[in-house]
Amino acid sequence: EVVLTQSPATLSLSPGERATLSCRASQRISSNYLAWYQQKPGQAPRLLIYGASSRATGIPDRFSGGGSGTDFTLIISRLEPEDSAVYHCQQYGGSPRYTFGQGTKLDIK
Amino acid sequence: EVQLVESGGGLVQPGGSLRLSCAASGFTFSSYSMNWVRQSPGKGLEWISYISASDSTIDYADSVRGRFTISRDYAKSSLYLRMNSLRDEDTAVYFCARVRCPNGVCHYLDYWGQGTLVTVSS
């Protein structure tokens, strides 16, 4: 099983700053099948990034993904108050078919 | 507009059964693979089941294999999850999600429903 470890668990930043979220896999993720989702309280997850670095439709270019192999990063530049949310990474492949990280909570104050 | 609306959640006793439904609209349901994903209170996301667009491939997480059954009805554009032998640890919000399969590899989930809460308790 591929285990995804996200860090930090919680991140507190100010509007206009840059957030760097990490997702580390216990095994190499083939073909960068790594996605990122944003989830606000009481809402469904929303796809931000797929294929490690491709932005989903309608996602602002402030959100960018990178990395390969076992180390992946979500960067949110020029933070806005509405970016407060939990961010999840997810990988595809192996057994189980999909696994998620435990999430990073981002607070914008 | 793509919409996924789950229903069927509720309070059930340990050992009981429940059937969740997910009504899909705004896209050609028969062309997409679908997933069920759950989230226990205050916890992360857990994938639990996958069904391919053609219904030819079905997969489950070990935690639910043998107890849960995924199915789909193309005429009703609906996805289902039959849950038997429910346990306390199955308490969670259950989401259905559409799967994208570029080049035949179904590696990410692009639309999610709002979820339905299942509480297993005596």
Side-chain angles (χ1 to χ4, degrees):
Chain A
E1 174 180 351
V2 178
V3 176
L4 298 179
T5 302
Q6 292 187 242
S7 61
T10 303
L11 188 58
S12 294
L13 293 169
S14 299
E17 290 190 308
R18 168 178 158 134
T20 302
L21 285 64
S22 172
C23 178
R24 177 163 290 176
S26 60
Q27 305 170 36
R28 185 180 183 280
I29 296 175
S30 61
S31 301
N32 293 334
Y33 293 142
L34 193 287
W36 290 92
Y37 303 87
Q38 177 193 66
Q39 186 179 27
K40 297 181 179 180
Q43 296 187 17
R46 172 195 183 198
L47 175 68
L48 298 175
I49 301 288
Y50 63 93
S53 61
S54 297
R55 262 187 308 276
T57 303
I59 301 302
D61 60 8
R62 302 186 296 104
F63 293 84
S64 62
S68 63
T70 60
D71 290 294
F72 297 86
T73 301
L74 174 69
I75 293 175
I76 312 170
S77 60
R78 306 183 304 279
L79 285 167
E80 298 182 2
E82 63 262 28
D83 296 333
S84 290
V86 176
Y87 292 83
H88 306 273
C89 59
Q90 167 254 311
Q91 72 84 35
Y92 164 84
S95 180
R97 184 175 289 256
Y98 305 88
T99 57
F100 291 87
Q102 82 280 17
T104 289
K105 182 178 181 182
L106 175 61
D107 288 327
I108 312 298
K109 298 178 180 178
Chain B
E1 178 194 5
V2 173
Q3 285 197 332
L4 297 168
V5 180
E6 301 91 339
S7 61
L11 175 63
V12 60
Q13 291 187 338
S17 298
L18 214 53
R19 189 179 87 151
L20 306 183
S21 301
C22 169
S25 61
F27 65 100
T28 303
F29 181 67
S30 59
S31 297
Y32 290 86
S33 298
M34 300 292 294
N35 271 341
W36 285 101
V37 177
R38 70 183 179 186
Q39 186 170 36
S40 301
K43 303 289 187 180
L45 300 166
E46 178 190 14
W47 168 78
I48 56 172
S49 189
Y50 164 90
I51 186 167
S52 63
S54 65
D55 201 358
S56 59
T57 300
I58 285 175
D59 195 12
Y60 300 98
D62 288 346
S63 58
V64 305
R65 184 174 288 114
R67 300 187 298 124
F68 290 11
T69 303
I70 192 172
S71 62
R72 60 194 300 166
D73 184 328
Y74 297 99
K76 295 182 178 180
S77 294
S78 291
L79 176 73
Y80 303 101
L81 186 69
R82 176 68 180 180
M83 305 185 295
N84 295 330
S85 304
L86 283 162
R87 306 167 180 167
D88 290 352
E89 55 265 33
D90 295 319
T91 293
V93 175
Y94 286 73
F95 298 99
C96 63
R98 192 177 82 167
V99 185
R100 291 305 301 269
C101 306
N103 301 315
V105 182
C106 303
H107 63 93
Y108 66 96
L109 289 60
D110 66 342
Y111 284 96
W112 298 60
Q114 287 300 306
T116 186
L117 175 63
V118 173
T119 303
V120 183
S121 175
S122 54

